[in-house]
Amino acid sequence: MDLAFREFVGDNICAIDLTPMPGIDDLLQPTESIKEAQELAAEAWGADHSFFLINGSTSGNQCMMMTAVNPGDKIAVPRNSHKSMLGGLVMSGAEPVYMQPEVDEELRMDHCVTPETVARTLQQHPDVTAVYLVSPTYYGVAADLASIETLAHGAGKLLLVDEAWGPHFHFHPSLPLSATRAGADLCINSTHKMLSAFSQCAMLHEKGGRVRLDRLASVLKMFLSTSPNLPMIASLDVARKQMATEGEALLSRTIDLARETRARLNDIPGIYCFGEELRGRKGVFALDPTKITVTVRGLGYTGYEASEILRRRHNIQVELADLFNVVALFTIGTTRDAAERLVHAFSEMARDDRDLDMFAPSGILEQRLRRGNFRLPAVPPMRMRPREAFLAATEFVKFRESAGRICAETLTPYPPGIPVIAPGEEITGEIVDYLRLELKAGVRIQGPYHDDLRLVRVVKE
Ligand SMILES: Cc1ncc(COP(=O)(O)O)c(C=O)c1O
């Protein structure tokens, strides 16, 4: 290894970067320390079995789908799932039955799917094999998992939960109910997001014995590297130890700091950080207090601009920015000093002399919102499964002339972060008009190959 790099990262990390061998164990066929570490993780998270992942919850979503559904099976999925869910659909060949999450028109963001939506979906599509949920959302809003578990299992369906943002839930009574406690058959946690494992580290938990373990084991063998990085695996074990032994105390400190900071931010004119008052709104069953969504439109900044200012002027990197908000994560590693800097940064921003034109009644954003254009266009007809569209021959055509074509990419405006169209769906005139207006208003569209969406990838005719 390059000596300067080795000096920088330290000898120990290199000393434990070993290949699978007896005494060290093999992630794909664990019989020794990794087996024990995974058993301890299952005990800590209340699962029957836990598996370490080294390619994030992205691979977790792919593995869940590949385990639970077969080509042609139907699976109920929220429309606002992370893109790795679509990867799972492409790989498994399953057919999505989309569930619309609740859109909060005041905060202009998406919340969770409600039990009512799941019940309706199961009634309209009794042939789905599984219900897949995302909880919590990017903004820290959690779904009513217990009610949805009763509905899914009552109807004989599997319940899969993308709990990428909630690996800490299981370890503190003031946090939302964890997916394992709610009885999900499979769930995933990005242990690297809210806990202390290295980047890319995640876990997949199984509970209840409804999924085939032999299938899951084969899927993991297919998806995980045969050369897993041992420091990453060790960091997963240590993150588990930290939570199992001092999780509640560490999280209590984090929750207190986040609550105090949220209150201080809310005292700054022009700023709003939602909190417990949101509970009970449609799609908001519970809230993760460690995520602070700062709505900055009252300052005359977009979330993107605020995020840039925080980074450049204050050396603060936020987790997410959208048109109206930035999201700050408070984790067990967040210091009081960092919280102070965040409050100071927003206080300064509030003193900036901004003209509020963009959000003024004549501004394009307000016009768009008042005209009700924030309402998402109808979900377009699915003409092909995501897998078929992904694998089909494709071409680029002008977006404004693309109505009637089958889309081969996902187009997701932020906010609210819900795909307007997914691979295999027909581009409608309504969608073309909606997205062109969004682009004009400065909204970022995620997913297309061409960011400016002048061209869109469609299935060749
Ligand atoms: C809801 C959700 N699921 C899955 C993922 C993918 O997680 P990872 O980055 O650990 O691969 C993300 C990433 O942000 C996410 O937000």
Side-chain angles (χ1 to χ4, degrees):
M1 178 178 287
D2 178 80
L3 276 182
F5 183 69
R6 185 179 181 122
E7 210 168 279
F8 178 73
V9 297
D11 283 343
N12 285 340
I13 201 103
C14 303
I16 65 166
D17 185 18
L18 299 166
T19 193
M21 62 171 110
I24 296 291
D25 213 358
D26 180 350
L27 181 64
L28 299 187
Q29 250 161 335
T31 54
E32 304 172 78
S33 54
I34 296 179
K35 178 170 185 282
E36 195 187 338
Q38 293 189 145
E39 284 167 0
L40 287 168
E43 198 182 319
W45 267 271
D48 291 346
H49 299 90
S50 292
F51 302 92
F52 291 173
L53 302 173
I54 47 171
N55 192 21
S57 287
T58 296
S59 65
N61 267 327
Q62 296 160 355
C63 291
M64 284 207 296
M65 295 266 177
M66 287 293 288
T67 302
V69 284
N70 287 320
D73 280 357
K74 286 190 184 163
I75 178 166
V77 295
R79 189 77 182 166
N80 61 337
S81 303
H82 185 256
K83 59 186 172 195
S84 52
M85 184 282 290
L86 263 169
L89 288 179
V90 166
M91 288 169 185
S92 66
E95 184 177 320
V97 173
Y98 288 112
M99 299 183 284
Q100 203 62 267
E102 297 303 320
V103 173
D104 189 321
E105 306 228 345
E106 188 195 329
L107 290 170
R108 281 106 195 198
M109 65 180 60
D110 56 303
H111 296 318
C112 294
V113 165
T114 60
E116 292 72 32
T117 300
V118 173
R120 201 173 45 248
T121 306
L122 289 175
Q123 213 169 31
Q124 288 168 355
H125 302 271
D127 53 345
V128 299
T129 303
V131 174
Y132 168 100
L133 287 183
V134 181
S135 179
T137 64
Y138 252 129
Y139 303 98
V141 168
D144 183 356
L145 287 188
S147 301
I148 294 174
E149 185 272 342
T150 306
L151 286 167
H153 287 157
K157 315 298 178 194
L158 294 173
L159 177 63
L160 320 181
V161 181
D162 176 344
E163 196 184 46
W165 285 106
H168 53 314
F169 284 3
H170 201 74
F171 299 95
H172 201 284
S174 346
L175 293 173
L177 186 74
S178 69
T180 46
R181 234 179 229 124
D185 298 291
L186 293 174
C187 69
I188 46 168
N189 287 162
S190 280
T191 325
H192 70 95
K193 285 195 199 298
M194 302 300 288
L195 300 180
S196 60
F198 282 146
S199 289
Q200 280 182 241
C201 291
M203 290 191 200
L204 194 164
H205 306 292
E206 180 278 332
K207 192 170 174 178
R210 290 181 195 84
V211 294
R212 277 177 44 198
L213 274 178
D214 63 316
R215 166 90 168 246
L216 175 56
S218 315
V219 166
L220 288 166
K221 279 200 179 99
M222 188 162 66
F223 276 79
L224 299 183
S225 167
T226 47
S227 320
N229 178 284
L230 217 52
M232 284 168 66
I233 294 173
S235 80
L236 275 165
D237 188 34
V238 174
R240 183 275 313 158
K241 185 192 104 186
Q242 192 176 35
M243 277 302 107
T245 57
E246 29 171 5
E248 189 165 336
L250 289 170
L251 288 166
S252 288
R253 192 200 65 83
T254 310
I255 292 167
D256 288 347
L257 184 61
R259 286 204 170 125
E260 185 191 312
T261 309
R262 176 182 277 103
R264 290 178 65 198
L265 288 169
N266 270 328
D267 282 342
I268 300 172
I271 281 187
Y272 173 56
C273 308
F274 69 73
E276 282 297 316
E277 73 282 1
L278 219 65
R279 197 190 281 261
R281 261 191 211 186
K282 275 193 138 194
V284 184
F285 184 73
L287 289 135
D288 176 1
T290 69
K291 279 193 146 190
I292 303 186
T293 301
V294 188
T295 304
V296 293
R297 62 197 301 258
L299 299 180
Y301 283 113
T302 64
Y304 307 123
E305 288 168 332
S307 151
E308 271 301 291
I309 294 171
L310 288 171
R311 195 167 58 80
R312 284 171 192 264
R313 280 198 215 151
H314 302 278
N315 199 22
I316 295 172
Q317 179 61 48
V318 291
E319 174 59 34
L320 163 86
D322 65 33
L323 195 54
F324 303 108
N325 310 289
V326 294
V327 178
L329 289 189
F330 275 56
T331 69
I332 54 174
T334 305
T335 59
R336 185 157 280 282
D337 175 56
E340 257 336 300
R341 282 198 294 124
L342 189 71
V343 174
H344 170 76
F346 278 113
S347 311
E348 289 233 310
M349 230 184 277
R351 279 197 288 273
D352 288 351
D353 187 20
R354 294 286 295 177
D355 81 45
L356 299 173
D357 251 12
M358 179 176 41
F359 298 105
S362 58
I364 186 154
L365 283 177
E366 282 304 330
Q367 275 186 37
R368 181 180 68 121
L369 297 169
R370 274 187 301 128
R371 280 207 306 269
N373 282 324
F374 187 71
R375 282 215 176 84
L376 292 166
V379 174
M382 196 186 314
R383 302 252 307 266
M384 281 177 157
R385 286 192 196 126
R387 178 184 174 82
E388 289 163 6
F390 183 84
L391 296 177
T394 58
E395 60 183 335
F396 286 102
V397 297
K398 283 189 185 136
F399 180 61
R400 67 185 145 81
E401 292 166 10
S402 64
R405 301 296 299 268
I406 301 175
C407 199
E409 43 192 15
T410 309
L411 308 180
T412 309
Y414 275 85
I418 298 175
V420 165
I421 188 155
E425 292 175 340
E426 179 181 323
I427 303 174
T428 60
E430 189 193 6
I431 284 177
V432 173
D433 293 345
Y434 174 84
L435 285 178
R436 291 188 71 211
L437 198 67
E438 295 282 308
L439 281 165
K440 225 166 136 191
V443 172
R444 286 194 194 147
I445 313 289
Q446 274 203 3
Y449 179 77
H450 291 284
D451 288 335
D452 61 6
L453 204 52
R454 264 186 325 99
L455 300 176
V456 65
R457 193 204 307 265
V458 295
V459 173
K460 234 181 188 156
E461 280 178 343

